[in-house]
Amino acid sequence: MKQPKLLLILLVCLFTCQMQLSSAKIQKETKIYSIRNGQELKLDIYKMDSADALQPCLMFVFGGGFKEGSRDAAHYLPYFNHFALNGFTVVALDYRLGMKGEKAPTPLNNKPLVRAISLAVEDLYSATEYLIKHVDELEIDTSEIIISGSSAGAITVLQADYEKRNNMPSDTILSNTFQYAGVISFAGGIFSTEGLPVYKIAPAPTLFFHGSADKLVPYN
């Protein structure tokens, strides 16, 4: 095949793909997945309106030091849209903010932080169970659920996979056979009182992004 003809075919293919993306629309739907202590916990579902098959799922937990933040903050939307445009169902969720109104944790007083992480992990498990129970309606492939988060949300997703793989007491909602397919952490870490975390079952494939100047969750 002559090179100009090949180039023309590639340009046509590229133009067609761009037209498909520009004409496609991302739908957003909000659901209440749980009510805890009188608080409605919601999740937003983003997916292409043209989706007609089971999709992998990316769950996202927002940051804010376990005391502030929101699931639909504007700076997260490009991240959601990127995955939705590439064939994922994206789920951004609320969780209870356990550090709201609490003093900053110290080495001698970390109980509020431990409680906050526990609440967030529990809510992430509840949201996951909601997706599993509504799989036919949401058209999600439950074997391909990836959890991701930023800062406090990154701590939550890392902790959730760590505790799930070790069958810890927090894991009372999800079935024993379920495991997350992957973890994406933006400036997160695992809270361990026993030194370096050890896994009974190998952790999910995990992608870390972390700045060496991070003072809240130290890089080292």
Side-chain angles (χ1 to χ4, degrees):
M1 183 181 293
K2 294 182 179 180
Q3 194 171 26
K5 188 174 181 181
L6 176 60
L7 180 60
L8 178 61
I9 292 173
L10 290 174
L11 287 174
V12 170
C13 290
L14 179 61
F15 177 76
T16 302
C17 290
Q18 290 295 330
M19 286 297 292
Q20 288 174 341
L21 287 177
S22 62
S23 62
K25 294 182 179 178
I26 298 174
Q27 292 182 326
K28 177 185 174 182
E29 186 177 11
T30 301
K31 303 277 191 181
I32 298 172
Y33 73 85
S34 183
I35 299 177
R36 297 295 176 92
N37 307 121
Q39 178 184 352
E40 290 184 345
L41 298 176
K42 299 178 180 180
L43 51 80
D44 293 330
I45 303 168
Y46 301 82
K47 68 190 308 176
M48 298 293 292
D49 59 3
S50 58
D52 57 0
L54 293 181
Q55 292 189 324
C57 177
L58 179 81
M59 301 183 73
F60 181 78
V61 184
F62 62 83
F66 298 103
K67 61 182 178 180
E68 59 187 4
S70 64
R71 68 181 189 277
D72 56 356
H75 53 273
Y76 295 137
L77 297 182
Y79 182 65
F80 301 162
N81 292 339
H82 172 79
F83 278 89
L85 286 170
N86 284 277
F88 280 76
T89 294
V90 178
V91 176
L93 58 121
D94 285 336
Y95 60 96
R96 288 167 290 172
L97 301 175
M99 287 298 295
K100 195 170 184 177
E102 297 283 352
K103 295 181 180 179
T106 67
L108 298 178
N109 182 27
N110 58 30
K111 288 183 179 179
L113 177 60
V114 172
R115 177 178 177 273
I117 295 172
S118 178
L119 290 176
V121 169
E122 183 180 334
D123 292 342
L124 175 56
Y125 287 161
S126 293
T128 304
E129 180 66 5
Y130 177 91
L131 299 182
I132 293 171
K133 286 183 176 179
H134 295 83
V135 63
D136 292 336
E137 172 193 348
L138 301 177
E139 297 182 317
I140 288 173
D141 184 346
T142 57
S143 70
E144 296 186 351
I145 295 179
I146 298 170
I147 47 177
S148 68
S150 172
S151 190
I155 292 172
T156 301
V157 297
L158 289 167
Q159 195 78 22
D161 186 63
Y162 169 63
E163 295 186 13
K164 186 76 180 71
R165 302 271 166 169
N166 285 293
N167 195 30
M168 291 184 175
S170 60
D171 177 25
T172 58
I173 299 172
L174 300 172
S175 73
N176 291 332
T177 57
F178 174 84
Q179 295 291 350
Y180 292 107
V183 180
I184 303 175
S185 165
F186 296 94
I190 292 172
F191 188 95
S192 172
T193 59
E194 301 177 357
L196 189 67
V198 176
Y199 290 78
K200 292 180 180 178
I201 301 174
T206 303
L207 177 62
F208 287 93
F209 295 91
H210 209 123
S212 58
D214 192 335
K215 296 294 190 295
L216 294 177
V217 184
Y219 177 79
N220 291 329

